[in-house]
Amino acid sequence: MTRVALRHRLAERGVDRQLWLLVPGLACVLALFVYPFAYGIGLSFQPAEGGVLGAYRTFFADAYQRDTIATTLGLSLPAAILNVAASVPIAYRMRGRFRGKRLLTTILVVPITLGTVLTAEGLLNYLGPAGWFNRTLMALHVIDEPVRLTNNYWGVFFSLVITGFPFAFLLILSYLSGIDPTLERAAATLGAGRRQRFQRITLPLLAPGLATTFCLTFVLAFSVFPSAVLVGDPAGTTRVISIAAYHAAYEVYDYPLGSAIAVVMGVVELLVVAVVLGLRSLLYTGSTGGKG
Amino acid sequence: MTLVSEKPTSAPARRRLVASPGSWLIWGAVAFFLVNLAGLIAAVVVNSFGSRWFDTWLPSGWTTEWYATAWTEFGLLNVMVVTLEVALLVVGISVLVGVPASYVLARRSFPGRRLVYLLFLLPILMPPITYGIPLATVLYKYGFAGHLTGVVLANLVPSIPFVILTMTPFIEQIDPAIERAARMCGAKTWQIFLRILAPLLVPGILAASILVLVRTVGMFELTFLAAGPDSQTLVVALYYSMSAAGIRAQQSVDAMAVLYTSSMLVLLVTALRFVNPTQLVARVKEDPD
């Protein structure tokens, strides 16, 4: 077989010199993502003591470390579910055109840019015992003494909602806008009420978008780190798994344990994502009328 | 069901919002969220201008000295310069690397395309801490971490996939016939890129760059793990000054936070001039009539 012929045969299957354009991007991802990840997995199997699985055994044997998984899920799952569940009705109401829509979406994007650190600082000021929130409630005589909302579970939860909700909302709004509105009108022509139209037309078409949004919001909430330290209770109720990983790798300098915790974190996160995407595949999968 | 949809009439122009119990509830929730959000931001801003603020509604006096304190104490000029350098380098590299790759992924089908796509998607799907810790370990091993290089390299990991995902719809919009015509006229691939695609892609490239810029300036975890004392960006410096609370006056931390937010807001407003956030996932048909 001559060289030219081989090149032709490859070109027929879509392999030609243009694919070289992919190489820089692939090289970066391989060198900066795949290799470190593989290196980390390798490192997690080489602890100083305890054999191949020693680092994992250390993590799972210690209740203080093991419970970080439950703590993280206990924070990120409710936050992600709330963010998605609250976004659906609001986005459903806002999918058409109306005056001020662009302004409202702009305002809703603001918290994304605040970042977790500023949100934490704001929460400490605003929800703190002498902050405006508690003052207002006390002035209205709803409560008699300040509610403790920072430096515990709720501080972190609020920070997750503030940063996560706008993100979930924008994604769901764009998925909803991608659904062909004529489908719903056709259903209305055939006599379907509002409730039926939402349940039998919009919701099934939105399901893939909901699953994707949930996954992305969950990833955001699952990797909570700065707010868990700053507005949370990093030694107790909000000791999330990323704190455990950071502590092991950069404060104790036990890189194998740090990598092992990072691997456990990735596995747990991917499991949740897999469950959600698995549930989604039971429902309708196909075009929603828009391009997405 | 608290959901309300519009009547299936074809409204002539933009519809007005029609009030009904369900929508009152929804708008009430939105308003509650926005009021608290405004309170949160205002609390930081007011605190940064207040001289003393303990158990009252507003501070007892107003001052701008906290900004001066923050500027000198935290070496903010240096931090700002580092932030800008990191952000611009990350944007430049990720656009140069990401745009060609997204062109191939948008236009071509080849064996292993799905695998390549998954590979580009994974860094966005994983929490930054998960790959940040092994990545920082590797960067330390080769002596990159602790400098600007390490910070830039770490931030490239989510940025390149992000450019690829943002650019794909923009590339799909360009008619392939234009490229074929250029090729018929004898243009080489690099000529097609520079003279045909690049000018047509300017809006997309701008959108992707600004989004990457916003993400990089706001990226905490990766910078935090890879940065040394001289290569901290604004967010990381802010985190350190906050977690060392007690040593610094909280007001000067707040002054720094305000500076950070205002620079992010400028970036965001600029970004929104180029991209409609609701069109990132799907092209919207807003006018069905």
Side-chain angles (χ1 to χ4, degrees), chain A residues 24-126:
Chain A
L26 265 183
C28 283
V29 172
L30 287 176
L32 294 172
F33 181 74
V34 178
Y35 167 65
F37 217 91
Y39 179 82
I41 293 176
L43 206 59
S44 74
F45 289 117
Q46 298 161 24
E49 52 194 55
V52 177
L53 290 173
Y56 293 92
R57 217 175 287 133
T58 315
F59 177 77
F60 282 106
D62 184 355
Y64 187 54
Q65 303 275 34
R66 187 179 57 219
D67 290 349
T68 55
I69 297 181
T71 310
T72 317
L73 288 178
L75 264 171
S76 53
L77 278 178
I81 290 171
L82 175 71
N83 286 339
V84 173
S87 303
V88 174
I90 299 175
Y92 191 72
R93 193 72 194 80
M94 279 183 61
R95 80 212 134 115
R97 296 182 73 168
F98 58 86
R99 259 180 272 151
K101 178 173 176 175
R102 186 144 181 131
L103 181 74
L104 198 59
T105 38
T106 309
I107 293 176
L108 280 170
V109 191
V110 168
I112 298 181
T113 63
L114 292 183
T116 37
V117 182
L118 185 109
T119 315
E121 180 71 19
L123 283 173
L124 286 179
N125 283 339
Y126 178 70

Side-chain angles (χ1 to χ4, degrees), chain B residues 160-184:
Chain B
I160 292 175
F162 195 72
V163 169
I164 292 176
L165 286 186
T166 326
M167 286 304 293
T168 308
F170 284 99
I171 291 175
E172 281 172 350
Q173 278 174 356
I174 296 177
D175 192 348
I178 302 174
E179 289 156 50
R180 283 202 292 269
R183 214 172 274 279
M184 290 280 287

Side-chain angles (χ1 to χ4, degrees), chain A residues 222-223 241-242 245 260-270, chain B residues 127 129-130:
Chain A
F222 192 75
S223 57
I241 191 165
S242 48
I261 300 177
V263 170
V264 171
M265 188 177 167
V267 169
V268 171
E269 188 247 318
L270 288 179
Chain B
I129 286 266
T130 347

Side-chain angles (χ1 to χ4, degrees), chain A:
Chain A
M1 192 61 60
T2 61
R3 204 168 149 265
V4 178
L6 180 68
R7 203 196 318 170
H8 274 267
R9 279 197 311 159
L10 281 176
E12 241 163 50
R13 304 189 56 186
V15 180
D16 61 21
R17 280 185 306 176
Q18 220 176 35
L19 292 191
W20 281 104
L21 292 172
L22 266 180
V23 170
L26 265 183
C28 283
V29 172
L30 287 176
L32 294 172
F33 181 74
V34 178
Y35 167 65
F37 217 91
Y39 179 82
I41 293 176
L43 206 59
S44 74
F45 289 117
Q46 298 161 24
E49 52 194 55
V52 177
L53 290 173
Y56 293 92
R57 217 175 287 133
T58 315
F59 177 77
F60 282 106
D62 184 355
Y64 187 54
Q65 303 275 34
R66 187 179 57 219
D67 290 349
T68 55
I69 297 181
T71 310
T72 317
L73 288 178
L75 264 171
S76 53
L77 278 178
I81 290 171
L82 175 71
N83 286 339
V84 173
S87 303
V88 174
I90 299 175
Y92 191 72
R93 193 72 194 80
M94 279 183 61
R95 80 212 134 115
R97 296 182 73 168
F98 58 86
R99 259 180 272 151
K101 178 173 176 175
R102 186 144 181 131
L103 181 74
L104 198 59
T105 38
T106 309
I107 293 176
L108 280 170
V109 191
V110 168
I112 298 181
T113 63
L114 292 183
T116 37
V117 182
L118 185 109
T119 315
E121 180 71 19
L123 283 173
L124 286 179
N125 283 339
Y126 178 70
L127 292 181
W132 285 338
F133 189 77
N134 271 318
R135 288 189 158 273
T136 314
L137 288 188
M138 284 202 290
L140 295 172
H141 297 291
V142 181
I143 50 171
D144 292 328
E145 50 187 65
V147 194
R148 197 176 136 88
L149 291 170
T150 51
N151 296 106
N152 59 10
Y153 177 90
W154 293 107
V156 184
F157 186 80
F158 289 136
S159 120
L160 288 179
V161 171
I162 287 172
T163 40
F165 168 72
F167 182 75
F169 169 77
L170 283 182
L171 277 173
I172 289 190
L173 183 60
S174 64
Y175 279 116
L176 263 177
S177 320
I179 294 174
D180 195 342
T182 50
L183 293 175
E184 227 182 301
R185 278 195 225 160
T189 314
L190 296 172
R194 269 180 201 158
R195 202 197 158 115
Q196 274 180 309
R197 289 205 303 266
F198 180 78
Q199 269 185 359
R200 312 206 43 178
I201 310 286
T202 313
L203 199 58
L205 287 173
L206 187 62
L210 276 183
T212 314
T213 312
F214 178 82
C215 289
L216 292 174
T217 322
F218 173 72
V219 170
L220 269 186
F222 192 75
S223 57
V224 51
F225 177 72
S227 57
V229 176
L230 298 172
V231 267
D233 171 20
T237 47
T238 68
R239 190 174 189 270
V240 291
I241 191 165
S242 48
I243 296 181
Y246 176 78
H247 177 77
Y250 289 93
E251 283 165 16
V252 189
Y253 296 106
D254 186 348
Y255 290 115
L257 182 60
S259 308
I261 300 177
V263 170
V264 171
M265 188 177 167
V267 169
V268 171
E269 188 247 318
L270 288 179
L271 272 181
V272 174
V273 170
V275 167
V276 173
L277 294 182
L279 285 178
R280 175 220 139 147
S281 68
L282 297 178
L283 298 167
Y284 171 81
T285 50
S287 170
T288 53
K291 194 164 85 177

Side-chain angles (χ1 to χ4, degrees), chain B residues 33-91:
Chain B
F33 180 78
L34 292 180
V35 164
N36 282 302
L37 184 67
L40 191 148
I41 298 171
V44 177
V45 175
V46 167
N47 198 20
S48 75
F49 283 109
S51 53
R52 284 161 65 81
W53 188 11
F54 289 115
D55 209 22
T56 45
W57 281 95
L58 286 172
S60 51
W62 304 93
T63 172
T64 51
E65 69 176 277
W66 298 116
Y67 285 86
T69 320
W71 190 266
T72 48
E73 255 185 45
F74 301 121
L76 275 193
L77 184 66
N78 186 32
V79 172
M80 291 275 197
V81 169
V82 169
T83 311
L84 207 64
E85 278 175 354
V86 168
L88 291 181
L89 277 171
V90 168
V91 168

